[in-house]
Amino acid sequence: MKSLCLLMCFSLAMQASAQSTAEPTPARQHELIRLVRQDCGSCHGMTLKGGLGLPLLPDSLRDKPASSLAATVVHGRPGTAMPPWKTILAEGEAEWIVSRLLTGFPKE
Amino acid sequence: MDRVSLIDRVSQGMKNLLVLMLVLLTGCAQQQLRGTGDLGVVIERAAGRIVVVDSSAHATLGTVEGLGDLSHASVVFSRDGRYAYVFGRDGGITKVDLLTQNIARRVVQAGNSIGGAISQDGRLVVAQNYEPGGIKVFDAETLELLADIPSTFGNNGQRSKVVGLADLPGNRFAYALFEAGEIWVADLSDPKHPQLTKYCDIGRQPYDGLVTPDGRYYLAGLFGEDGIALVDLWKPEQGARKILAHYGRGEEKLPVFKMPHLRGWAVAGGRAYLPAVGRHEVLVVDTSTWQEVGRISVKGQPVFVMARPDARQVWVNFAFPDNGWVQVIDTLDNRLIDTLAPGKAVLHLEFTPKGEQVWISARDDNRVMIYDTLTRKPVGELPAQSPSGIFFTSRAGRIGF
């Protein structure tokens, strides 16, 4: 039973990396919300209204395409303080975060 | 007046007297005399609340709510150590009475703020703002606005975010302009008529600053390039110069998930210990020559590099994802002597006034851990909700805090 579960977890992980658009699990979503509020919040503010980094509220992101926002999260923006998050976040997770930012980011 | 009503009135009088005595007694109990030298505050950043703590008793005296957005909060203290000025991200300055745990004054003075400082004479409180960019000067007693100094630079009226505000002797303040790449010194000896000295082209994207304990040197760390901008405030005519300009030459920088903080300087035994940006290193600099004399490899990218008050040890915490660790450097031979795991997401540390203990906030474990700095063993802990900054009143007597 334990090995079956492990196998399932493994295949789920494989799916997550293969299908980058897959929705993160609820547990992972919880982690991502905390990461955005607390760690992205270091620069963008916990309320995401901006700080050293730009505001990440829906109004301030509206005219930017989601794909380029997700690319900024994954690869960073050279010449600015925005780091690449690719060692921390999968592409699908960055896309999920951007889609939530555009519609109003959930509270913790 | 008949006899019954007289008795009634006498007994009513007795009751009033009793009530009065009770009020007085309760009042006395609340106003028990005590000093503030071992008090401090812990920021509960998500709740917009501070906890007033007693570092001798390892106890909470009370909490104060309603301080707004404390996601990047900093605190300075009145010189009598009674009031904490709490600067919030939302531009709020709240003057909190530590003895009664009440809000004495509060103003919201900007849209987006990053911190503040208090003048040498304790009469001026200055806020450093991102939006609108600049500094604002307030009467420390009343929080009345005395001066507004926008950080306008270049030719198109653009305003820069202000970082690294530090108080200097002579009621002056030094700070850096992130977008402009400038250091400004504001002389507020006549607060309604500030005199500005500007140092231009000091380097790209200064992200924070510090003043040495003697008030002589102002350092601004650079994010946009390797190095640190330095102004000798005793020889201002020499202008700003760059030190450590090549500390990362030819090496790929690591991603920086959190900006280092320079305030809370680590200047110890003629050396400054500084966080390397984008590297897992603490840089050691000789403060007489400002040349690099060593590097110490550490667990992650340093955020706070803080000297114990006697300067024998330097304690370091780290940026995400290495923010569960704290490391300790012995300044005698610049060697790591300990690696601690105080909890999840260590955001800040603060030494007791003479440094026998250090308080460390572990945000995601909702607690503050207290360590003995000699044995480096935990000696206590206090619960706190998502704690970030810890600030003790001993800061009141120090330049640059």
Side-chain angles (χ1 to χ4, degrees), chain B residues 307-322:
Chain B
R308 197 172 69 177
D310 69 347
R312 177 66 195 269
Q313 295 176 353
V314 167
W315 290 54
V316 188
N317 77 327
F318 304 101
F320 176 88
D322 301 308

Side-chain angles (χ1 to χ4, degrees), chain B residues 170-396:
Chain B
N171 272 19
R172 292 173 305 151
F173 291 83
Y175 50 101
L177 279 60
F178 180 74
E179 289 87 354
E182 297 180 4
I183 292 172
W184 291 11
V185 176
D187 183 338
L188 298 173
S189 46
D190 178 2
K192 295 209 168 175
H193 300 95
Q195 303 294 318
L196 288 178
T197 307
K198 299 179 183 179
Y199 301 88
C200 299
D201 300 318
I202 56 115
R204 284 206 307 277
Q205 295 174 327
Y207 63 88
D208 199 6
L210 70 83
V211 62
T212 51
D214 54 11
R216 176 165 183 179
Y217 297 101
Y218 180 75
L219 281 71
L222 300 175
F223 182 80
E225 59 188 282
D226 284 337
I228 288 168
L230 174 102
V231 176
D232 181 345
L233 296 157
W234 291 4
K235 297 178 179 175
E237 69 283 358
Q238 292 184 345
R241 64 186 164 113
K242 209 178 294 172
I243 60 168
L244 304 176
H246 304 293
Y247 73 76
R249 187 165 47 183
E251 296 166 42
E252 184 74 17
K253 267 195 188 180
L254 299 165
V256 179
F257 294 117
K258 187 180 167 89
M259 285 285 182
H261 286 58
L262 293 179
R263 196 181 205 179
W265 42 260
V267 177
R271 297 196 183 107
Y273 294 77
L274 300 165
V277 178
R279 293 166 216 293
H280 292 186
E281 288 172 342
V282 171
L283 306 173
V284 189
V285 183
D286 183 319
T287 57
S288 57
T289 62
W290 294 104
Q291 297 292 311
E292 180 183 327
V293 291
R295 294 182 189 196
I296 302 161
S297 288
V298 288
K299 274 262 184 201
Q301 284 182 55
V303 174
F304 284 98
V305 179
M306 299 179 84
R308 197 172 69 177
D310 69 347
R312 177 66 195 269
Q313 295 176 353
V314 167
W315 290 54
V316 188
N317 77 327
F318 304 101
F320 176 88
D322 301 308
N323 53 3
W325 304 105
V326 167
Q327 289 192 300
V328 186
I329 296 164
D330 183 341
T331 58
L332 191 62
D333 51 9
N334 292 333
R335 183 174 56 89
L336 278 177
I337 50 167
D338 223 331
T339 299
L340 309 171
K344 282 189 215 142
V346 170
L347 292 192
H348 196 218
L349 46 140
E350 178 83 336
F351 293 95
T352 51
K354 291 191 180 180
E356 80 289 353
Q357 292 180 349
V358 61
W359 288 39
I360 301 177
S361 58
R363 182 194 69 203
D364 290 356
D365 280 337
N366 295 305
R367 68 179 186 204
V368 172
M369 292 296 292
I370 305 165
Y371 283 82
D372 180 306
T373 59
L374 203 61
T375 64
R376 296 179 295 282
K377 300 280 183 244
V379 290
E381 73 176 80
L382 279 182
Q385 191 185 326
S386 293
S388 52
I390 306 171
F391 304 88
F392 290 155
T393 54
S394 43
R395 289 174 175 247

Side-chain angles (χ1 to χ4, degrees), chain B residues 106-124:
Chain B
R106 178 171 159 81
V107 294
V108 176
Q109 51 84 36
N112 200 321
S113 182
I114 194 69
I118 188 163
S119 62
Q120 184 180 32
D121 67 4
R123 293 172 192 271
L124 306 173

